Amino acid sequence: MSFKNFPMVSRVVYGRGSFNQLDEIISPKRQGRDAPFIYFVDDVFKGSHWLTSRISLSYKDKIIYVPTDEEPKTSQIDQMVEDIILEFSEHPSGIIGIGGGIVLDVAKAVSIMLTNEGESKDYQGWDLVKNPAIYHVGVPTISGTGAEVSRTTILTGPERKLGINSDYTPFDQVILDPELTKDVPKDQWFYTGMDCFVHCIESLNGTFLNAFSQSYGEKAFEICKEVFLEDTLSAEESQDKLMMASWHGGMSIAYSQVGVAHAMSYGLGYLLGIKHGIGNCIVFDHLEAFYPEGVKLFKQMKEKHNIILPTGICVDLDQHQLDIMIDVALSLEPLWENAIGKNWKSKVTRQTLQELYLKM
């Protein structure tokens, strides 16, 4: 039997205010005056002196603001890579992503595609990347996605929504500064935090579960319950803990896999453009048949924080559109195998998924 030899983030700094050390951390990686550091920053911070004043630009360094209304597309990544190649005479010294899961995924994808030929859609899948990525740094400004620690970058391609899962995807450096999450709107805080909670439920209830995944998943699950169901934490403690839940939730997937909620929310994301966090919530709300205890806790959290999820989003879809979503969901075979087992195809039918989508 062969065991996967997974990479991890090789360096991480944690602490409130640690973002101030960004320049000091990355400076030794500079390859010369013509090899810039490129900062991908969530466009919610455009005009935010509080954050951008701490990004130190030298030589040809550049900030690129990334809109986050839609999840990243392979075509968008290819365009960004082409723009960088045309603008600069040398490869960047590093790519720094500052933002939520979308921006972190953009930073990971661009750093990979700068050193690998072809189009990013060709690398959607597992272990297809041949060459090491450019040095890349992740600075999460919202907690829950686990993108800061995962070995994937989720992209919507022409045919499917699927990650570039590879040993070269994880960040070389992560800066975990809980202070950066202080202004996240409440609904966004909930949806993204629930991405972590759903990671835990899917990992801990999956057939791929092992002691490695379980140890991280249980810790993240425990923190999520504390943050979203109890009233014992100050705002700062909640920020600190949720950032660590996100890290642990992402790690719990390394030797495991996600499950039904992620598979079906990829369908929603691909066809309707519904963002990952809220998509997971919309799907998970209807998955009592797969995760009865997890869904029960989720509904309690939703009620406690007065979260009203969108309804009726699939009611007006025609059969062709429903089939597209079902095809995307069913194509994610490792997720279904983790959720149900090797014989999952005999237990999950297209009709099952169609009925679930029509409830959403």
Side-chain angles (χ1 to χ4, degrees):
M1 187 173 178
S2 174
F3 294 96
K4 289 287 258 181
N5 189 9
F6 285 126
M8 289 189 182
V9 172
S10 54
R11 288 184 174 268
V12 58
V13 57
Y14 171 85
R16 303 185 79 81
S18 59
F19 181 60
N20 294 332
Q21 292 172 233
L22 175 62
D23 190 48
E24 173 194 330
I25 288 166
I26 66 174
S27 288
K29 300 292 182 181
R30 190 179 289 281
Q31 303 293 311
R33 287 171 177 263
D34 293 327
F37 283 115
I38 295 177
Y39 299 83
F40 287 107
V41 179
D42 191 320
D43 73 353
V44 75
F45 293 111
K46 213 171 193 173
S48 167
H49 182 74
W50 176 77
L51 183 129
T52 55
S53 64
R54 292 186 275 170
I55 297 174
S56 176
L57 300 180
S58 307
Y59 309 118
K60 296 183 177 180
D61 294 353
K62 183 174 187 176
I63 293 176
I64 297 171
Y65 289 101
V66 178
T68 55
D69 302 334
E70 294 183 346
E71 305 224 310
K73 293 183 167 64
T74 53
S75 56
Q76 176 191 3
I77 299 300
D78 295 339
Q79 186 62 56
M80 287 173 160
V81 170
E82 187 179 341
D83 291 347
I84 290 168
I85 289 169
L86 291 173
E87 183 172 350
F88 301 102
S89 57
E90 292 186 21
H91 269 333
S93 294
I95 302 290
I96 297 96
I98 303 170
I102 289 173
V103 177
L104 297 181
D105 280 356
V106 164
K108 289 195 279 191
V110 168
S111 68
I112 286 170
M113 292 311 301
L114 280 165
T115 56
N116 287 274
E117 291 182 355
E119 297 174 280
S120 50
K121 68 178 174 63
D122 302 330
Y123 296 94
Q124 285 181 286
W126 282 266
D127 302 308
L128 301 172
V129 179
K130 301 290 186 288
N131 302 316
I134 278 175
Y135 174 74
H136 50 305
V137 179
V139 186
T141 61
I142 189 170
S143 298
T145 68
E148 65 276 12
V149 72
S150 71
R151 72 187 292 274
T152 189
T153 165
I154 310 295
L155 303 175
T156 302
E159 293 171 20
R160 56 193 171 168
K161 178 178 171 183
L162 184 61
I164 299 176
N165 297 269
S166 83
D167 282 356
Y168 301 120
T169 308
F171 287 110
D172 299 295
Q173 169 80 56
V174 169
I175 296 175
L176 297 176
D177 182 347
E179 194 176 65
L180 299 181
T181 68
K182 68 182 178 66
D183 294 323
V184 174
K186 185 179 179 184
D187 58 345
Q188 198 59 53
W189 165 82
F190 183 85
Y191 299 144
T192 309
M194 286 301 102
D195 191 13
C196 176
F197 177 72
V198 171
H199 277 156
C200 300
I201 298 295
E202 291 181 319
S203 176
L204 292 171
N205 290 280
T207 62
F208 292 0
L209 186 65
N210 52 63
F212 184 97
S213 298
Q214 188 173 0
S215 61
Y216 284 106
E218 285 177 347
K219 189 63 190 173
F221 179 64
E222 183 186 305
I223 298 171
C224 283
K225 286 198 293 183
E226 190 178 3
V227 168
F228 290 102
L229 285 177
E230 296 174 18
D231 296 310
T232 55
L233 302 175
S234 69
E236 289 193 354
E237 287 170 334
S238 178
Q239 291 158 12
D240 293 354
K241 288 195 172 230
L242 194 55
M243 185 159 268
M244 291 321 300
S246 180
W247 182 271
H248 282 77
M251 282 299 302
S252 75
I253 303 305
Y255 252 109
S256 174
Q257 191 48 269
V258 284
V260 180
H262 276 73
M264 294 192 71
S265 84
Y266 278 25
L268 291 179
Y270 178 77
L271 183 76
L272 303 176
I274 291 172
K275 288 165 83 171
H276 186 66
I278 189 170
N280 272 350
C281 289
I282 290 168
V283 174
F284 197 68
D285 209 28
H286 297 282
L287 297 186
E288 291 94 340
F290 298 96
Y291 308 109
E293 290 304 312
V295 174
K296 184 179 169 187
L297 277 174
F298 171 74
K299 289 182 185 290
Q300 287 173 18
M301 293 172 177
K302 192 178 63 163
E303 189 176 335
K304 180 174 176 62
H305 296 286
N306 301 313
I307 300 296
I308 309 294
L309 293 174
T311 56
I313 57 171
C314 298
V315 169
D316 296 326
L317 298 182
D318 61 31
Q319 191 59 50
H320 175 64
Q321 291 171 308
L322 287 165
D323 284 338
I324 289 172
M325 290 200 300
I326 292 165
D327 287 341
V328 168
L330 290 177
S331 72
L332 297 157
E333 296 198 4
L335 282 63
W336 291 102
E337 186 179 336
N338 178 50
I340 294 162
K342 286 195 183 298
N343 61 344
W344 66 271
K345 288 182 181 176
S346 65
K347 296 184 177 178
V348 174
T349 65
R350 298 182 69 84
Q351 187 61 29
T352 311
L353 297 199
Q354 177 150 328
E355 286 170 8
L356 281 168
Y357 275 131
L358 288 172
K359 287 180 185 175
M360 297 172 196

